[in-house]
Amino acid sequence: MSYFFQQTFNGLVTGSFYALLSLGLAVIFGMLGVVNFAHGAFYMLGAFGAYFLLQEAAIGFWWALLLAPLGVGILGMILERLLFRRLYRLDPLYNFLLAFGLTLMLQDAMRLRYGVQGQPYGTPDALKGAVNLGLFAYPTYRLFTIVFAIAICVVVWYVITRTRVGMIVRAATEKPDLTRALGINVDRWVTPVFGFGIALAALAGVLAAPMRNVSPLMGSDLIIVVFAVVVIGGLGSIFGAVLAGFLIGIITTLGAVFYPSLANTLVFILMAVVLLWRPAGLFGNPEGT
Amino acid sequence: MSNRAMQRSLLGAALIFVLALPQLVYPILALDILLWGLFALALNLLLGYGGLLSFGHAAFWGSAAYAAGIAAKQWGLPFPLAALSGMVVAVLLALPIGYLSIRRTGIYFSMVTLAFAQMIFYIVNQWRGVTGGENGLQGIPRTLWGLNLSDPTIFYYAVLPLVLLGFWLTFRVVHSPFGHVLVAIRDNEARARALGYPTDRYKLIVFLISAGLSGLAGGLFALGHGFTALEVVHWTTSGTVVMMTILGGIGTLWGGIVGAALVLLLRDWLSNWTDAWGVITGAIFVLVVLSFRRGIWGTLLQRTAGREQRS
């Protein structure tokens, strides 16, 4: 029984990454209508940012948790201003393709600089060891990841649904022209929101650094799994993104325990089932495409 | 020149070009240009005429590559039959994938096809007994009823009729009533449905044709190289073919082969200088998407059309 709980917690850890990434995708999609294929690359950049800060400037995990997402978020804002902005009026496919090109560039640049081998990143001292949860002991760092990710998701959800900033963002997402007519400068919000979504991906990357090897390709397979998560949750739904993230994390981890060969395909099988049953995803709006 | 005469001279020039190609570049590269060209054409049929951007076509190209490789290596089938088995496998896979994918449109369709292609990638990777896992399949023979076709130039000319058949089939599809209905669906699906066309069935059929032609190209690709590796089912393969299509020109019949030739020649040429291939490919792709969306062939077509109107 304790083994089962332990695996559930492992599922929550995986789910934390899925949830943070798909939340960032949902925020960017909601505001800009961009399906950001480069999200995985920004996740990878977040992890490399933490690695770089530690190696080159001896800046540890806690500061990296703040600085790496900030830096990657700013990079995202620059890219939005220079590149993405030019394609908003066109078919969303072009933004998707632009992000794909960026992914190739970022991944390969990191490969040239650091090679394909993973770089190790130590667990921060304060989070070493394990916590006794009664039934079983669980690694402190993993527990921290779960709690931190849930906290971030709750804060983002709160800001978007309960504050004035969130109200503007939601209004601008749903009815940009009407919002403009009410005297709100929608375009001013686009760049920061894009940067924020990117920063969420980078944050997930920093969290992943002590747990998984920091490597140029760490984001490329993850992003496709997260796309499946997003399809299951229903793209455009913030709530769906987070809930599906954690849920899929738990289901796939437990599934992999019982049928190990299914580990990597289970999420796509789930996606196929959900698509058959609800083409718009679990929490998606069937009216939208 | 009248439209028809121009088309005919274009066709002649293209035929001379593909016949002379192994003399212009080394034969394996020539074969790659031919096969990626067919792959890009197959994708363009779906994207340019059906309005559906599949980002998971590596599933069909790659699964056919493995199927053709296995058919040639394990069962000793001659290469046309091996390529045909690859094509059949691709179409069989495309049936459930297409059925589920066309339930979504636009960018969602792309994401769903990508996810399904990744499922195929994992299966190929896991199924070591059949696919060789990370080692891939080595030593795939190229035979034609006892004839040994290991010389790449000879194999090129042996493959050419099959590829031309694929091209011809695509041209026929585009210019048939089916192709016109497809364009109508792309332009306004609700209107096409209101006119009484079963749009989902049309979309599924074009998906199957596109997957089958991709499979034909992929199977021949594996046979031509004599081995196949996981790369053929990886998502970067799907991305590469999309890039070739866009570089050549969406919705143009010749764009695919122009784009494929350009990307492959560029890759070949650049590999002498640098291994930053991904950075350069990515940068080209970004530039094309930002400022050259009609692609090379598309731009040429527009220029000539403009001149004709003026004269």
Side-chain angles (χ1 to χ4, degrees):
Chain A
M1 199 59 196
S2 73
Y3 178 71
F4 174 79
F5 277 114
Q6 205 166 348
Q7 291 302 329
T8 309
F9 269 76
N10 284 340
L12 278 172
V13 173
T14 311
S16 300
F17 298 123
Y18 292 168
L20 284 176
L21 285 165
S22 70
L23 176 62
L25 276 178
V27 167
I28 291 177
F29 179 80
M31 185 79 178
L32 294 83
V34 172
V35 176
N36 183 25
F37 191 89
H39 222 62
F42 290 115
Y43 161 84
M44 179 269 293
L45 280 187
F48 265 108
Y51 176 77
F52 177 82
L53 287 173
L54 187 70
Q55 296 296 315
E56 311 285 326
I59 292 173
F61 178 78
W62 298 106
W63 279 103
L65 202 55
L66 180 71
L67 293 176
L70 201 67
V72 177
I74 290 170
L75 174 69
M77 283 163 65
I78 294 170
L79 290 173
E80 195 276 332
R81 275 285 156 108
L82 291 178
L83 306 174
F84 285 92
R85 178 150 293 212
R86 294 159 189 267
L87 299 174
Y88 290 152
R89 285 168 199 284
L90 301 167
D91 195 314
L93 293 176
Y94 288 109
N95 274 306
F96 180 76
L97 295 172
L98 172 68
F100 170 73
L102 278 178
T103 302
L104 283 183
M105 285 173 77
L106 292 172
Q107 266 183 15
D108 206 46
M110 287 294 141
R111 176 186 66 83
L112 290 171
R113 176 79 177 74
Y114 294 101
V116 281
Q117 254 82 43
Q119 310 284 346
Y121 189 91
T123 311
D125 285 335
L127 298 173
K128 281 192 173 131
V131 179
N132 191 352
L133 292 176
L135 281 168
F136 57 91
Y138 200 70
T140 314
Y141 183 76
R142 286 171 168 253
L143 205 60
F144 164 78
T145 302
I146 298 171
V147 173
F148 191 78
I150 291 176
I152 293 283
C153 292
V154 169
V155 169
V156 172
W157 173 79
Y158 182 82
V159 168
I160 288 180
T161 54
R162 293 281 186 274
T163 67
R164 199 182 137 69
V165 174
M167 198 178 71
I168 292 170
V169 170
R170 270 185 302 140
T173 307
E174 277 159 31
K175 296 253 159 49
D177 293 334
L178 190 62
T179 315
R180 249 182 226 113
L182 290 170
I184 293 164
N185 188 350
V186 172
D187 298 329
R188 207 180 56 192
W189 293 94
V190 165
T191 310
V193 167
F194 189 81
F196 178 72
I198 299 292
L200 280 178
L203 185 70
V206 180
L207 286 173
M211 227 181 295
R212 305 179 177 181
N213 269 339
V214 178
S215 84
L217 297 175
M218 66 191 289
S220 75
D221 285 340
L222 187 66
I223 183 62
I224 290 156
V225 175
V226 171
F227 274 1
V229 169
V230 158
V231 170
I232 292 169
L235 187 50
S237 160
I238 303 267
F239 179 71
V242 172
L243 196 71
F246 282 107
L247 214 62
I248 302 296
I250 293 170
I251 293 173
T252 52
T253 307
L254 289 181
V257 170
F258 295 114
Y259 301 102
S261 56
L262 268 183
N264 292 316
T265 37
L266 190 57
V267 61
F268 301 113
I269 296 169
L270 279 174
M271 184 195 73
V273 172
V274 169
L275 272 179
L276 270 174
W277 173 45
R278 285 178 72 107
L282 294 179
F283 301 96
N285 175 13
E287 302 290 303
T289 29
Chain B
M1 238 190 319
S2 77
N3 213 1
R4 200 169 189 90
M6 202 176 96
Q7 264 189 352
R8 211 165 278 165
S9 54
L10 204 61
L11 210 63
L15 203 62
I16 292 168
F17 173 74
V18 293
L19 280 171
L21 200 55
Q23 266 68 50
L24 302 174
V25 295
Y26 55 92
I28 277 287
L29 183 59
L31 186 66
D32 280 358
I33 291 174
L34 203 61
L35 297 177
W36 279 96
L38 178 59
F39 189 18
L41 183 64
L43 183 90
N44 213 345
L45 181 64
L46 193 63
L47 169 61
Y49 298 89
L52 297 162
L53 171 59
S54 163
F55 218 77
H57 253 44
F60 311 120
W61 162 271
S63 61
Y66 275 96
I70 290 162
K73 196 181 164 187
Q74 311 288 350
W75 308 334
L77 287 186
F79 89 88
L81 290 183
L84 197 70
S85 335
M87 203 171 155
V88 169
V89 167
V91 173
L92 288 179
L93 266 179
L95 199 60
I97 293 180
Y99 175 76
L100 286 169
S101 305
I102 57 162
R103 298 164 75 89
R104 308 307 310 273
T105 53
I107 198 73
Y108 301 87
F109 173 81
S110 306
M111 286 167 66
V112 172
T113 49
L114 176 60
F116 278 122
Q118 208 57 14
M119 191 147 108
I120 304 296
F121 174 82
Y122 286 125
I123 291 170
V124 169
N125 194 10
Q126 291 286 324
W127 206 2
R128 287 195 186 84
V130 175
T131 62
E134 294 191 353
N135 298 321
L137 287 178
Q138 312 284 334
I140 299 169
R142 282 172 276 191
T143 58
L144 185 64
W145 288 288
L147 239 62
N148 184 1
L149 299 176
S150 52
D151 181 75
T153 312
I154 295 175
F155 187 69
Y156 177 90
Y157 289 111
V159 161
L160 194 56
L162 280 177
V163 176
L164 290 179
L165 197 72
F167 281 128
W168 178 78
L169 199 77
T170 320
F171 295 160
R172 285 309 305 254
V173 169
V174 167
H175 291 120
S176 68
F178 175 85
H180 294 300
V181 175
L182 217 55
V183 171
I185 294 172
R186 176 194 69 190
D187 291 343
N188 190 337
E189 188 171 348
R191 187 172 60 197
R193 206 180 301 122
L195 286 170
Y197 291 111
T199 56
D200 278 0
R201 196 185 304 160
Y202 275 86
K203 288 202 280 188
L204 183 61
I205 290 172
V206 73
F207 194 89
L208 293 180
I209 297 173
S210 175
L213 290 170
S214 305
L216 175 66
L220 292 171
F221 183 78
L223 295 164
H225 284 262
F227 71 90
T228 176
L230 272 180
E231 197 197 342
V232 294
V233 275
H234 198 250
W235 60 262
T236 41
T237 296
S238 304
T240 304
V241 72
V242 171
M243 179 169 84
M244 288 169 172
T245 309
I246 292 184
L247 191 59
I250 296 175
T252 63
L253 285 172
W254 299 99
I257 196 152
V258 171
L262 202 75
V263 169
L264 292 172
L265 290 173
L266 196 69
R267 180 185 293 188
D268 186 58
W269 180 67
L270 279 171
S271 62
N272 299 325
W273 306 83
T274 168
D275 70 335
W277 171 240
V279 175
I280 296 165
T281 320
I284 295 171
F285 199 62
V286 166
L287 283 175
V288 169
V289 170
L290 280 175
S291 51
F292 200 55
R293 279 183 291 275
R294 281 179 191 281
I296 294 165
W297 196 255
T299 308
L300 276 175
L301 277 184
Q302 196 197 16
R303 287 268 164 85
T304 48
R307 201 178 303 142
E308 261 174 25
Q309 268 170 7
R310 258 178 272 129
S311 61

